Amino acid sequence: MKAELTNKFFEKYEQQPTAHYFTPGRVNLIGEHIDYNGGLVMPCAVTLGTWLIIAPNNDNVIRFKSLNFDETAEIELQPSYTKTGSEWFNYPLGVFNEISKKHKIPTGLDLLFFGNIPIGSGLSSSASIEVVMTYALNDYFKLGYEKIELPLLAQKVENEFIGVNCGIMDQFAVAFGETDKAIVLNCDTLKYKIVDCNLGDYSLAIINTNKPRKLAESKYNERVSECQTALAQLNQEIKLNNLCELTAEKFALHSHLITDETVLKRATHVIKENDRVNLAAKALNEGSLVEFGRLMYASHQSLKDLYEVTGVELDTVVDFCSDYEHVIGARMTGAGFGGCAIALLKKGQEEDFAKQLTDYYVTRVGYPAAIYISEIGNGASAI
């Protein structure tokens, strides 16, 4: 891949690159829609991701080109930048904007991006782009950021420059992922522990519903607002910074404060999903993939009934998986409203699974899903 991308860079810029970087996408194994509620999540990095190839230029400009998109940009180096439209290059441009608040970029750059993460699928292509740009600038210019600062900076870009109220999970997972490991991350404190995630006789199947979800245009921000409403109402009696500070028992004592039925459903999912992450970590530590799979199914059901972020496409995939004998667990992953589901699939059954799921899905949805088999991979790095 490195040699091929080097050749592509030369075709685009007529010079040799001086650095190569890679940042993966991620799936969240369990713990959904609780990152912005201060809860526990369990993401892992996948082997799909974003490559960034760099060379300096003497023209005092940043040139953005991609092998995935036709749009290009050439922007003069300046102290700050402004988002324009919805083009892909706004994500790395936001990183330049944030870093330029503290550091002067000393030279123009020619940039070439390539990604094999399905866009809009829920595997965090945007976080992958943001973190690879952040990691690259920090490494290339020796800016001195600690590793923990990189996902925080990328999250700020997503929140303030792009305008999506995401939590820290996506950026953290793609920066800190490790092969055959999952991350149990406290999204409030950023304390984390690495959990062995050896899937043994199973592979991680990623099923893209091929229904794109655009977070900034979806009901994602609405769910964030509903959780903030729940928090405000609970704070009439108890002092909380985040919903996930509550145990299920304490929540039961105070849930009467939440007066709207829909808001109560959202909060109930958040509290119970946070508990499921602890149970999932325990299952992995004990080597019980069957129990882990059961918790995946329970998570999806809660996201369907209480948080209402699944939809017919994701439910169709999980319904199939629940009846397919060689899958022991499945759930939507990411924000929902389309995007991807994941499943723990018995090795050797990949072709049969893909054929049967495709037939089932096309019959009910009208078009095929895309199926990928992934390993659990490493986080951001120079290559």
Side-chain angles (χ1 to χ4, degrees), residues 317-346:
V317 171
V318 175
D319 287 347
F320 171 83
C321 289
S322 66
D323 290 330
Y324 186 76
E325 63 176 324
H326 300 296
V327 168
I328 58 171
R331 61 184 291 277
M332 61 157 271
T333 187
F337 313 108
C340 285
I342 54 173
L344 298 181
L345 172 67
K346 187 83 169 179

Side-chain angles (χ1 to χ4, degrees), residues 286-350:
E286 295 173 353
S288 179
L289 286 179
V290 171
E291 172 62 10
F292 186 81
R294 185 193 70 79
L295 291 164
M296 291 174 70
Y297 281 128
S299 171
H300 184 87
Q301 198 66 40
S302 180
L303 289 157
K304 176 183 177 183
D305 295 338
L306 297 179
Y307 223 69
E308 299 179 277
V309 293
T310 60
V312 64
E313 296 84 5
L314 288 163
D315 291 338
T316 296
V317 171
V318 175
D319 287 347
F320 171 83
C321 289
S322 66
D323 290 330
Y324 186 76
E325 63 176 324
H326 300 296
V327 168
I328 58 171
R331 61 184 291 277
M332 61 157 271
T333 187
F337 313 108
C340 285
I342 54 173
L344 298 181
L345 172 67
K346 187 83 169 179
K347 289 178 179 175
Q349 302 299 321
E350 292 85 358

Side-chain angles (χ1 to χ4, degrees), residues 98 101 155-164:
E98 192 61 34
K101 293 176 181 178
Q155 181 201 15
K156 194 171 183 183
V157 170
E158 187 85 26
N159 293 166
E160 298 179 5
F161 196 83
I162 302 300
V164 175

Side-chain angles (χ1 to χ4, degrees), residues 68-349:
N68 302 97
F69 303 101
D70 292 332
E71 300 92 351
T72 64
E74 183 172 309
I75 299 171
E76 285 192 15
L77 282 174
Q78 49 198 283
S80 64
Y81 303 87
T82 303
K83 179 187 174 188
T84 55
S86 57
E87 285 81 9
W88 68 273
F89 51 77
N90 282 292
Y91 291 92
L93 182 64
V95 174
F96 276 91
N97 181 66
E98 192 61 34
I99 284 181
S100 294
K101 293 176 181 178
K102 293 185 177 180
H103 301 275
K104 185 180 188 299
I105 303 300
T107 180
L109 290 173
D110 292 344
L111 308 173
L112 180 64
F113 291 81
F114 169 70
N116 60 1
I117 304 171
I119 303 301
S121 64
L123 301 185
S124 291
S125 56
S126 62
S128 184
I129 292 173
E130 290 157 356
V131 172
V132 78
M133 189 76 259
T134 306
Y135 188 98
L137 289 178
N138 186 50
D139 178 75
Y140 198 75
F141 293 120
K142 310 303 179 193
L143 299 180
Y145 288 101
E146 298 291 332
K147 189 175 181 181
I148 189 64
E149 295 178 271
L150 303 182
L152 290 167
L153 191 153
Q155 181 201 15
K156 194 171 183 183
V157 170
E158 187 85 26
N159 293 166
E160 298 179 5
F161 196 83
I162 302 300
V164 175
N165 293 324
C166 71
I168 189 60
M169 176 184 65
D170 295 356
Q171 290 81 5
F172 195 96
V174 303
F176 279 83
E178 294 184 25
T179 299
D180 291 334
K181 308 284 186 181
I183 304 168
V184 177
L185 170 67
N186 183 315
C187 294
D188 181 33
T189 65
L190 295 190
K191 290 182 179 178
Y192 69 97
K193 60 182 178 180
I194 302 296
V195 179
D196 284 331
C197 195
N198 186 341
L199 299 182
D201 293 334
Y202 291 85
S203 296
L204 185 65
I206 302 171
I207 305 98
N208 183 3
T209 64
N210 284 328
K211 178 186 179 183
R213 63 171 180 86
K214 299 184 182 298
L215 276 186
E217 299 169 15
S218 74
K219 293 188 176 181
Y220 181 92
N221 288 344
E222 181 181 301
R223 294 295 181 277
V224 175
S225 177
E226 289 166 339
C227 290
Q228 290 170 342
T229 298
L231 182 65
Q233 293 181 343
L234 289 166
N235 271 332
Q236 294 174 81
E237 282 187 5
I238 50 179
K239 182 60 180 174
L240 301 168
N241 294 313
N242 297 292
L243 285 179
C244 288
E245 292 175 15
L246 281 176
T247 62
E249 294 77 14
K250 193 169 183 181
F251 177 65
L253 293 175
H254 298 281
S255 60
H256 65 276
L257 295 168
I258 302 175
T259 55
D260 183 274
E261 183 178 349
T262 297
V263 172
L264 178 61
K265 287 165 62 176
R266 307 297 188 247
T268 301
H269 163 76
V270 167
I271 302 302
K272 291 186 175 181
E273 184 78 348
N274 197 52
D275 285 347
R276 273 188 286 270
V277 178
N278 281 319
L279 293 171
K282 182 173 182 287
L284 286 176
N285 283 328
E286 295 173 353
S288 179
L289 286 179
V290 171
E291 172 62 10
F292 186 81
R294 185 193 70 79
L295 291 164
M296 291 174 70
Y297 281 128
S299 171
H300 184 87
Q301 198 66 40
S302 180
L303 289 157
K304 176 183 177 183
D305 295 338
L306 297 179
Y307 223 69
E308 299 179 277
V309 293
T310 60
V312 64
E313 296 84 5
L314 288 163
D315 291 338
T316 296
V317 171
V318 175
D319 287 347
F320 171 83
C321 289
S322 66
D323 290 330
Y324 186 76
E325 63 176 324
H326 300 296
V327 168
I328 58 171
R331 61 184 291 277
M332 61 157 271
T333 187
F337 313 108
C340 285
I342 54 173
L344 298 181
L345 172 67
K346 187 83 169 179
K347 289 178 179 175
Q349 302 299 321

